[in-house]
Amino acid sequence: HDDETLLMLTISDITKSKAIEAELVRAKETHSKVEEIVHIGNWDWDILTGDLYWTDEIYRIFGRQPQEFDATYDAFLETIHPDDKQNVIDAVNSSVTDADAAYSIEHRLVHPDGNIRTVYEQGKVYRNDNGDPIRMIGTVHDITERKETEIELEKYRQNLEKLVDERTQELSDAQDELVRKERLTTLGQLTATVSHELRNPLGAMKPSLYILQKKSDLSDEKVATAIERIDRNITRCDHIIDELLDFTRINDLDLMSTKLDDWLFNLVNELPIHPDIKLNCEPGVNDMELNLDQERLRRAIINVVDNGVQAMLNEPE
């Protein structure tokens, strides 16, 4: 200046601003680390320009490297599982068009390697003074592990309920069996007593009947028929007593593979049938083989036939 060269220096103290800058950098790093720890990313969408900002964690959640590409709404939609995409689009549109509709949705993502993750998203739409949507901010939370745990817990709960139901049924069956056995025991004791009391008079009737047969005129048809009827009913009473005693005994079934047609035919043909009654046996089950307790089924069939014969003879019980 005025043929003199001058040097002017301006010195500013930026210690505070550098400290603030360092704190901001530290805060950003801390925020990023926290996001990475809790698997929650943040996004900021400028609805007017379409610009979308993702934090690094969102890229990681979506299976990408942080800031791998410029985030856009269309790029976001491409990461969504095809079966969930329309639900997400509808949820976004609803929150943008309806000020009272909150953006909250759970959906699946598909990573570039095909891995499927589950996320939970929340967002809020900001509007200008006219109520027009201008900005939307939200979070993405990776809840894959939690969902898998929930699924495993649900499977465990269902299995536990099944085990409880099965155990309850077992206890109920055991209780019913115990009651049944107690009743059978009581019935067995009563049957044994009654059977003993009945067999005594029946035992006395047999020799008395024998004497009547010897002393009676059996050429008289009415007398012979009456004596034969008495003898048959004494035998029947003995048989009923045997059946009652057998019913109260708790025995396992003696199952044998049996050709039902042949076995039933032979059994029926061996039964003593009243001469006035004709019995036809036509099983017709085509040589079917069944596992059955032959002795118990034999008794049941004898009872059926005997009851039928008695009914046809119209004899008083």
Side-chain angles (χ1 to χ4, degrees):
H1 182 68
D2 293 337
D3 297 330
E4 293 184 8
T5 301
L6 304 176
L7 177 63
M8 180 180 291
L9 300 176
T10 301
I11 298 175
S12 300
D13 188 349
I14 60 172
T15 303
K16 290 184 179 180
S17 62
K18 293 297 290 184
I20 293 173
E21 182 181 337
E23 286 298 322
L24 290 175
V25 171
R26 179 179 176 81
K28 184 177 180 180
E29 290 178 350
T30 300
H31 183 266
S32 179
K33 293 297 182 183
V34 170
E35 284 190 344
E36 186 175 358
I37 292 172
V38 298
H39 299 300
I40 296 179
N42 295 276
W43 48 269
D44 188 343
W45 179 32
D46 189 327
I47 299 176
L48 299 180
T49 65
D51 294 335
L52 181 62
Y53 169 74
W54 288 346
T55 58
D56 290 348
E57 184 58 20
I58 290 186
Y59 284 92
R60 285 189 286 265
I61 291 174
F62 288 1
R64 272 76 173 178
Q65 292 298 322
Q67 308 305 320
E68 180 178 339
F69 58 88
D70 291 335
T72 64
Y73 180 64
D74 290 335
F76 160 67
L77 294 178
E78 288 301 317
T79 66
I80 301 174
H81 192 284
D83 294 341
D84 298 344
K85 183 177 295 185
Q86 190 58 51
N87 290 337
V88 174
I89 293 174
D90 293 342
V92 172
N93 292 340
S94 176
S95 62
V96 170
T97 57
D98 185 355
D100 296 327
Y103 180 69
S104 177
I105 190 170
E106 182 180 302
H107 65 84
R108 289 166 292 175
L109 299 173
V110 180
H111 284 187
D113 61 2
N115 184 34
I116 296 177
R117 309 289 292 180
T118 303
V119 299
Y120 173 65
E121 292 190 13
Q122 286 182 294
K124 181 177 181 180
V125 176
Y126 294 87
R127 304 173 185 275
N128 59 21
D129 293 339
N130 296 325
D132 299 324
I134 57 174
R135 187 182 183 189
M136 188 175 183
I137 298 176
T139 60
V140 180
H141 185 193
D142 187 343
I143 60 172
T144 304
E145 283 72 24
R146 189 188 78 187
K147 292 294 293 184
E148 291 175 350
T149 301
E150 290 176 354
I151 292 174
E152 289 301 318
L153 287 175
E154 178 62 19
K155 290 180 180 179
Y156 179 78
R157 183 189 65 81
Q158 293 177 357
N159 185 57
L160 183 60
E161 288 182 352
K162 181 181 178 181
L163 292 175
V164 170
D165 291 341
E166 290 176 351
R167 185 55 179 163
T168 301
Q169 186 61 46
E170 290 175 0
L171 292 174
S172 177
D173 293 343
Q175 183 179 13
D176 292 342
E177 180 66 14
L178 180 61
V179 172
R180 187 183 74 86
K181 288 183 177 180
E182 289 177 350
R183 289 177 177 175
L184 284 177
T185 300
T186 303
L187 180 60
Q189 295 171 350
L190 177 62
T191 301
T193 302
V194 173
S195 299
H196 177 73
E197 296 299 325
L198 288 176
R199 284 194 190 278
N200 286 334
L202 288 174
M205 291 171 67
K206 275 288 188 181
S208 299
L209 180 62
Y210 177 77
I211 294 174
L212 285 176
Q213 287 177 318
K214 294 296 183 180
K215 299 293 184 179
S216 300
D217 181 8
L218 297 182
S219 61
D220 187 331
E221 183 178 351
K222 290 184 178 179
V223 173
T225 300
I227 291 176
E228 189 273 335
R229 182 182 298 118
I230 294 172
D231 183 55
R232 187 170 67 252
N233 280 279
I234 290 175
T235 302
R236 187 183 180 195
C237 288
D238 276 332
H239 180 66
I240 291 174
I241 292 172
D242 290 338
E243 291 293 328
L244 285 173
L245 290 172
D246 184 65
F247 176 76
T248 57
R249 298 188 184 100
I250 302 175
N251 298 317
D252 293 331
L253 294 175
D254 183 16
L255 299 179
M256 297 178 59
S257 180
T258 306
K259 285 189 175 182
L260 190 59
D261 266 10
D262 295 340
W263 179 83
L264 186 59
F265 185 80
N266 293 331
L267 170 63
V268 172
N269 285 335
E270 293 174 357
L271 294 179
I273 305 298
H274 192 278
D276 294 336
I277 296 175
K278 182 179 180 181
L279 176 62
N280 292 327
C281 180
E282 299 178 1
V285 290
N286 301 322
D287 292 330
M288 180 184 297
E289 288 196 21
L290 299 175
N291 288 326
L292 53 88
D293 187 321
Q294 293 185 1
E295 179 59 25
R296 292 192 179 187
L297 185 57
R298 183 187 68 80
R299 294 179 186 177
I301 292 174
I302 290 174
N303 287 339
V304 171
V305 174
D306 187 57
N307 289 339
V309 170
Q310 296 300 325
M312 295 179 69
L313 293 175
N314 295 317
E315 293 188 346
E317 296 294 337

